[in-house]
Amino acid sequence: KKVSVLLLPPTSHSIRNAHIPRWFYLFKKLSSLLDENWDSTSYSPTVYGWNIKDGELFPKKELNLLPDKFCQTCGCTKGCKKEQRRCKCVKAKEICSDFCRCIYCTNR
């Protein structure tokens, strides 16, 4: 069964480091419309997950949304046994994930 990464929900990493800071900046910016004394220089959009290009804001792209342990996959054909050190996942001391293409896996 093939799984598309695009169908996965956002990770806690992308939520903490991208979505929440961007929304916090937007909230502060919009709430500043009600406050005459708000100092707009105290909140830089680039600190809160935005890039500025040609005077417009664009969200920073998180290139590594999955933790490294999920990006490592194996394709063992003789089984992933904890006592054998040929499996990439076993070497990294991780269990095999659903993205691995291993056969007869005992490392789950």
Side-chain angles (χ1 to χ4, degrees), residues 21-90:
R22 283 198 298 263
W23 280 107
F24 175 77
Y25 176 79
L26 289 175
F27 173 76
K28 291 303 265 182
K29 185 78 171 171
L30 291 174
S31 63
S32 72
L33 298 172
L34 302 173
D35 187 7
E36 301 168 356
N37 301 322
W38 190 69
D39 181 21
S40 62
T41 60
S42 62
Y43 290 97
S44 172
T46 56
V47 175
Y48 292 96
W50 294 95
N51 287 327
I52 301 174
K53 184 178 179 183
D54 298 329
E56 294 185 32
L57 292 178
F58 293 95
K60 285 183 185 174
K61 298 293 181 186
E62 292 288 326
L63 297 178
N64 187 13
L65 297 180
L66 290 174
D68 291 336
K69 69 179 183 179
F70 293 125
C71 294
Q72 179 161 341
T73 61
C74 70
C76 301
T77 57
K78 294 185 180 180
C80 305
K81 296 179 183 169
K82 295 186 180 187
E83 55 275 355
Q84 292 178 339
R85 304 290 294 172
R86 284 182 264 167
C87 175
K88 288 183 196 177
C89 298
V90 172

